[in-house]
Amino acid sequence: EAQVTQNPRYLITVTGKKLTVTCSQNMNHEYMSWYRQDPGLGLRQIYYSMNVEVTDKGDVPEGYKVSRKEKRNFPLILESPSPNQTSLYFCASSLATQVANPGRVYGYTFGSGTRLTVV
Amino acid sequence: AQKITQTQPGMFVQEKEAVTLDCTYDTSDPSYGLFWYKQPSSGEMIFLIYQGSYDQQNATEGRYSLNFQKARKSANLVISASQLGDSAMYFCAMREENTGFQKLVFGTGTRLLVSP
């Protein structure tokens, strides 16, 4: 089954304790991205990756790191989590537009989400 | 810069009635895609419907249709014959083909409540 797998689904941690949220996709997608969702703000992009070893900041990158060493994996790292990073996090992947089929804009496939609480 | 606006924080509808969720967008890229996602209380993001900027006809997927008015830059979602299971958060989103680093930009969402 084509999917994006995110783990864990729920996580409660303490301020300052490093954590990693894993994301893996089995669709050979070039493009991967992390979003956070907060009430009243919709989903905002944290980081994205256009391909292996190519990553860049989104709209709210402060306090986060990512890596893309393999095409299928795109982990999100919080080196020193703080309470303002309490949120619902989504990983997503997609075919790149233009490359796959010029003029066709592809949507994202989302993981199930990770609900993170930092106390 | 690309932007999505959803002006209805919440909507109420009775079962079996139709409902329209509003979405307006702003972009300077002539090639883009518009998407609607449903987020039930369980939290996952479920893709509903897609409209390409060059598509001549409005998209339809079962009970979902997209009222695409390009000149007005609006892409409203119409849900016909509402069901209790339609109660959820609905997000409109846009992705530009040529600019915006292929980012999917979301609106703030509309919470739909379907009553019996």
Side-chain angles (χ1 to χ4, degrees):
Chain A
E1 180 190 353
Q3 60 185 356
V4 176
T5 303
Q6 234 182 287
N7 281 297
R9 286 293 308 273
Y10 301 92
L11 180 59
I12 302 174
T13 190
V14 296
T15 299
K17 186 177 180 182
K18 180 179 178 180
L19 66 92
T20 300
V21 184
T22 63
C23 175
S24 180
Q25 51 96 1
N26 62 0
M27 296 164 282
N28 202 35
H29 285 167
E30 298 88 8
Y31 187 90
M32 296 187 76
S33 184
W34 277 101
Y35 283 80
R36 61 177 289 172
Q37 181 183 358
D38 302 289
L41 298 177
L43 281 79
R44 295 177 294 166
Q45 191 182 54
I46 304 169
Y47 268 94
Y48 66 94
S49 169
M50 300 287 271
N51 216 322
V52 176
E53 302 292 1
V54 180
T55 64
D56 208 345
K57 298 176 182 178
D59 299 315
V60 288
E62 295 78 19
Y64 305 95
K65 284 175 59 177
V66 293
S67 67
R68 187 98 181 267
K69 294 186 172 58
E70 307 164 281
K71 197 171 186 179
R72 62 184 295 126
N73 295 324
F74 190 46
L76 179 70
I77 302 157
L78 285 72
E79 294 270 3
S80 182
S82 62
N84 65 11
Q85 291 179 299
T86 292
S87 187
L88 177 59
Y89 291 86
F90 287 100
C91 179
S93 73
S94 168
L95 290 168
T97 63
Q98 297 181 300
V99 171
N101 187 354
R104 172 69 167 92
V105 180
Y106 290 91
Y108 289 10
T109 300
F110 283 87
S112 301
T114 296
R115 197 168 290 277
L116 172 66
T117 302
V118 184
V119 298
Chain B
Q2 50 183 330
K3 185 179 178 183
I4 292 283
T5 303
Q6 294 180 257
T7 57
Q8 306 158 313
M11 289 285 284
F12 293 89
V13 67
Q14 275 204 309
E15 208 176 359
K16 299 189 178 72
E17 292 185 349
V19 62
T20 298
L21 306 184
D22 293 342
C23 173
T24 59
Y25 62 92
D26 190 23
T27 178
S28 56
D29 192 331
S31 181
Y32 52 89
L34 294 155
F35 305 83
W36 278 91
Y37 287 86
K38 173 184 178 181
Q39 187 180 45
S41 57
S42 53
E44 70 266 31
M45 296 290 285
I46 302 169
F47 166 74
L48 293 178
I49 196 166
Y50 162 80
Q51 179 84 45
S53 59
Y54 293 122
D55 293 343
Q56 296 297 312
Q57 297 196 349
N58 286 346
T60 60
E61 290 284 349
R63 293 187 299 111
Y64 304 108
S65 61
L66 203 152
N67 184 0
F68 181 46
Q69 298 188 43
K70 196 170 181 177
R72 297 179 63 183
K73 293 191 173 179
S74 74
N76 298 338
L77 176 71
V78 181
I79 305 175
S80 63
S82 298
Q83 302 172 355
L84 296 178
D86 294 335
S87 293
M89 195 76 166
Y90 289 81
F91 290 98
C92 179
M94 176 176 67
R95 190 180 194 188
E96 296 169 336
E97 179 183 358
N98 299 304
T99 58
F101 304 104
Q102 308 205 7
K103 178 169 66 177
L104 191 63
V105 175
F106 287 83
T108 52
T110 297
R111 185 169 298 281
L112 177 67
L113 185 60
V114 181
S115 60

